[in-house]
Amino acid sequence: MTSAAPSAAPPGAPSRSGLGRPAALAFAGASALTVANIYFPQPLLDAIASGLGVPGPAAGLIATAAQVGYALGIALVVPLADVARLRRLATALLLLTTAGLLTAAAAPNMATLTVATIALSTTTVLPQILVPTAASLAGPDHSGRAVGAIGIGITLGSTLSRTLSGTVAGLSGDWRTAYLVAAALTGGLVFVLPRLLPAYGDDRSVPYRQLIGSLPRLVLAHPGLRFSAFLGATVFAAFSAFWATLAFHLAGPPFDRGVAWAGLFGLFSLPAALLSYAAGRLSDRRGPRYVNTVALVCVSAAFLVMGVCGDSMTALVISANLLVYGSSSSQIANQVRVFRLGEKVRARLNTLFMLASFTGGAVGSLTGAALYARWGWTGMVLGCGGFLLPAAVALARGRRFG
C-alpha cells in the first residue's frame, strides 16, 4: 500500500502537523449537528405515535431504526475515511442526510418514516469520520484531547438535540417541524465543513472491497479492540434504553408531562455533558481503563437512582446526568484505546468499535421499549442491569488493556 501527501489546504484548514483550535471547534460543532439527527426524534416518539395513529411501542421503532441505520453507515461508509477524498465524502454525506430529513418530515405513515430514518441515519456518520481524522492530525501526544474535543461535540449534540426537538415540537404543535429544522442545520454545514478537511485519506490505493474485507482481520488481530467494543456495546445499550423510554415514562402518571419535557432532559443533563470533556485528557494521563471504571460506576449509579426513585423528577435529572457523563466518558476512553492500535487503519478500527457500540444501542432501544411496554419503568431499569453486569466483569478482567 502506498500513501499520498494531502494537497495544499485552504487557510485555516488543519494540516498533518497538528489540529488547530479553530478547526477542532469546527469539527466539534459539525459533529454535534450531525449526530443530533440520530437522537432528536426520541422525545418526539409519543407525538409521532399520536400523529400517525400508531401505538407508542410501534413509534419506538424509530429509535431502533436510527441506531440500525447508523450502524450500517459506520460499517459501509466510515472505512472510506482511511482512503477517500474527505472533502468530497463529507459533502456527499451532508447532502444525502439533508434529503433524508426532508423525506422524513413529509412522511405520511410509519413505514415511510422508518425507511427515511434508516436512510438518513446511514449517511449521518460524519462524526465518526471526524474523530479518527482529528486524532491523526493532533498526533500521538494529544490524541486523547482531540478525541475529547470531538467527543464533547458528539455528547452536546446528542444531549441538546432532544431539548431542541422537544421545544420546537412543543411550540409548533407538530413533530414534523423538528425534522425541517434538522434539515436546515445539516444542509448549512455543506458550506463550512468540507474546506476544513484534508483533501485525502492516508492510503488511496486500497480498493473498497479490500477495505471492507480487512475489517474481520482487524478484529482478530487486536484484543484491545474487542475489549473496547464490548464495553462500548454494553454501556451504550443501557444508555439507549433510558432515552428510548423516557418520553413514555414522563407522559404517564405521576408526571403527565408533554413532549417538550422529555426534550428538556437534554438541557438538564448539560452539566454532565460539559464535564465529560475531561475524559480525553484523563485517558492520556491515567489510561483508558481508569476512565472506563469511573464511567461504569456512574452509569450503574444512574440506574440505581432511577430504579429506587423513578417517580421523582429530581431523581430522574440526577440519573440523566450520571448516565450522560458515564456513557460519554466511556466512549472517549474506548476510542483513545482503539486509536493507539494503528494510525493507518484508524477509521476502520473506529468503524468496528462504533459498529459494536451502535448495535448495542439498537438492541438497548428495542429491549428498553419492549420491557417498558410489558413491565413498565421498573422492568426497563432492571433489564439494563443485564447490560451493565457483563461490562463490569469484562472490566475487572481487562487489566492488561490499560
Side-chain angles (χ1 to χ4, degrees):
M1 294 189 294
T2 60
S3 59
S7 63
S15 67
R16 292 288 176 184
S17 60
L19 181 67
R21 185 178 296 272
L25 291 175
F27 283 14
S31 296
L33 290 178
T34 49
V35 80
N37 295 324
I38 304 299
Y39 300 103
F40 82 79
Q42 290 178 353
L44 309 178
L45 296 179
D46 193 55
I48 289 173
S50 299
L52 296 180
V54 299
L61 290 175
I62 297 301
T64 302
Q67 301 288 359
V68 170
Y70 204 55
L72 287 173
I74 289 168
L76 301 177
V77 178
V78 173
L80 290 170
D82 279 335
V83 300
R85 298 188 177 191
L86 294 180
R87 295 172 190 170
R88 293 184 181 180
L89 179 61
T91 300
L93 292 176
L94 289 170
L95 291 175
L96 288 170
T97 302
T98 301
L101 288 165
L102 292 174
T103 302
N109 51 50
M110 271 295 298
T112 303
L113 182 57
T114 301
V115 172
T117 298
I118 293 174
L120 72 90
S121 301
T122 300
T123 58
T124 193
V125 292
L126 196 58
Q128 302 312 323
I129 291 174
L130 294 177
V131 172
T133 300
S136 294
L137 293 170
D141 293 337
H142 303 289
S143 61
R145 295 184 182 185
V147 173
I150 308 301
I152 191 63
I154 293 172
T155 301
L156 289 175
S158 61
T159 302
L160 295 181
S161 64
R162 299 178 177 97
T163 301
L164 178 62
S165 64
T167 301
V168 168
L171 292 175
S172 67
D174 187 358
W175 58 268
R176 299 177 189 272
T177 307
Y179 280 87
L180 294 175
V181 171
L185 293 174
T186 302
L189 287 174
V190 174
F191 303 102
V192 179
L193 182 66
R195 65 184 299 271
L196 296 175
L197 290 167
Y200 301 104
D202 287 328
D203 190 351
R204 292 177 289 135
S205 67
V206 181
Y208 182 73
R209 180 180 296 181
Q210 183 179 340
L211 192 73
I212 299 301
S214 68
L215 296 178
R217 293 193 296 273
L218 290 174
V219 174
L220 296 175
H222 297 291
L225 170 62
R226 299 194 297 271
F227 176 71
S228 293
F230 183 77
L231 292 180
T234 50
V235 171
F236 198 63
F239 177 87
S240 299
F242 170 79
W243 289 107
T245 55
L246 178 62
F248 301 118
H249 186 51
L250 292 177
F255 303 108
D256 298 316
R257 303 290 186 178
V259 62
W261 267 89
L264 281 175
F265 265 75
L267 186 61
F268 294 156
S269 57
L270 181 59
L274 295 173
L275 286 173
S276 67
Y277 170 73
R281 293 188 177 186
L282 193 58
S283 295
D284 283 337
R285 293 201 311 266
R286 302 203 55 176
R289 185 173 176 275
Y290 175 83
V291 177
N292 281 135
T293 302
V294 173
L296 187 59
V297 169
C298 289
V299 172
S300 300
F303 282 98
L304 178 62
V305 171
M306 71 178 72
V308 174
C309 307
D311 291 340
S312 165
M313 185 69 74
T314 300
L316 287 180
V317 171
I318 293 172
S319 298
N321 274 273
L322 288 168
L323 187 60
V324 167
Y325 176 80
S327 60
S328 179
S329 297
S330 177
Q331 178 168 318
I332 291 170
N334 287 326
Q335 286 180 308
V336 169
R337 182 186 296 109
V338 166
F339 292 152
R340 291 175 178 175
L341 300 176
E343 181 177 359
K344 293 291 185 180
V345 293
R346 277 178 173 167
R348 277 166 280 178
L349 291 171
N350 195 46
T351 289
L352 293 164
F353 167 72
M354 293 305 303
L355 181 60
S357 294
F358 277 88
T359 299
V363 172
S365 296
L366 186 62
T367 301
L371 291 174
Y372 184 85
R374 179 66 177 85
W375 288 291
W377 185 253
T378 300
M380 186 279 296
V381 171
L382 290 176
C384 286
F387 296 125
L388 299 179
L389 183 59
V393 173
L395 194 57
R397 294 181 175 180
R399 298 181 182 276
R400 64 191 176 102
F401 295 113

